[in-house]
């Protein structure tokens, strides 16, 4: 039988070992590589990641390199939630405290004015 090497280029992700496959056979899908700040999106026949490799259908007929496709993870800002200890609750408490202090000051000033 004719054997071919399938190389996996993780494109700056964690390494993936090459495998040897008999000509005409399918290659087994390897464990997904990892890359900080990115989500793995699949293996592709080209470095530009335009032609996805189909592990269920594509067969190996020559030595090939498959390329990892990555998508940058978009950081998510913490959501303002309602509930104990949340930033919304803290902001609301601060506003209420300021209003109560201002109201107390008005009452004290009014009583002093009435007592004169």
């Amino acid at each position: 039988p004719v054997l071919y090497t399938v190389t996996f280029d993780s494109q700056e992700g964690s390494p993936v070992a090459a495998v040897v496959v008999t000509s005409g056979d399918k290659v087994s899908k390897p464990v997904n590589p990892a890359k900080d700040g990115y989500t793995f999106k699949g293996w592709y026949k080209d470095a530009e990641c335009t032609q996805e490799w189909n592990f269920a259908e594509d067969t190996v007929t020559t030595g090939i390199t498959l390329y990892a496709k990555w998508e940058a993870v978009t950081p998510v800002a913490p959501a303002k939630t309602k509930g104990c200890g949340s930033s919304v609750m803290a902001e609301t408490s601060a506003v209420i405290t300021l209003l109560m202090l201002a109201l107390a000051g008005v009452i004290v000033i009014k009583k002093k004015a009435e007592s004169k």
Side-chain angles (χ1 to χ4, degrees):
V2 177
L3 302 176
Y4 293 113
T5 300
V6 178
T7 304
F8 297 93
D9 182 343
S10 66
Q11 303 208 66
E12 299 179 8
S14 58
V16 176
V19 295
V20 176
V21 179
T22 302
S23 179
D25 284 355
K26 297 173 188 164
V27 61
S28 296
K29 185 177 183 213
V31 173
N32 292 348
K35 183 176 178 181
D36 286 342
Y38 291 83
T39 300
F40 177 71
K41 301 305 281 183
W43 291 105
Y44 287 74
K45 300 173 189 179
D46 59 315
E48 295 77 27
C49 297
T50 61
Q51 300 173 15
E52 188 168 8
W53 181 266
N54 184 330
F55 287 91
E57 296 178 10
D58 290 340
T59 58
V60 177
T61 57
T62 187
I64 58 168
T65 298
L66 296 178
Y67 299 88
K69 180 176 182 177
W70 299 101
E71 182 177 285
V73 174
T74 305
V76 178
K80 290 187 175 185
T81 58
K82 295 181 181 177
C84 296
S86 73
S87 59
V88 171
M89 182 64 90
E91 290 170 13
T92 303
S93 295
V95 169
I96 290 171
T97 302
L98 289 173
L99 288 173
M100 290 174 63
L101 290 172
L103 183 56
V106 168
I107 292 171
V108 169
I109 293 171
K110 186 175 181 180
K111 287 199 178 213
K112 282 185 180 180
E114 287 175 357
S115 63
K116 287 184 180 181

